[in-house]
Amino acid sequence: MTFFKILAFLNKLFLPSLTKKRIDIAKAKKWQLALLAWWFYITKNALESSKKKGF
């Protein structure tokens, strides 16, 4: 597993899911926006690393 895949797995285990709570992005707090940005960054890189290896 790559570094980003491990981080994506840990995010799924430990960080709260904002989509299940139906958080409105327009009304989200700064820490919620930062958490969404973090999830996006890790997920994007995990997908790119698996795409490069052909998985």
Side-chain angles (χ1 to χ4, degrees):
M1 289 180 84
T2 65
F3 175 71
F4 286 107
K5 280 192 171 193
I6 293 169
L7 276 179
F9 179 73
L10 292 174
N11 282 347
K12 190 173 184 179
L13 285 179
F14 296 115
L15 294 178
S17 175
L18 298 178
T19 56
K20 288 181 183 176
K21 294 180 182 180
R22 303 274 184 193
I23 300 294
D24 184 15
I25 293 177
K27 296 178 183 177
K29 298 175 183 171
K30 296 277 185 184
W31 69 269
Q32 291 170 326
L33 292 174
L35 185 62
L36 283 171
W38 172 256
W39 274 69
F40 175 76
Y41 175 74
I42 297 301
T43 303
K44 180 181 78 75
N45 285 313
L47 291 172
E48 284 181 359
S49 67
S50 66
K51 186 178 178 182
K52 287 179 184 175
K53 291 187 176 187
F55 290 108

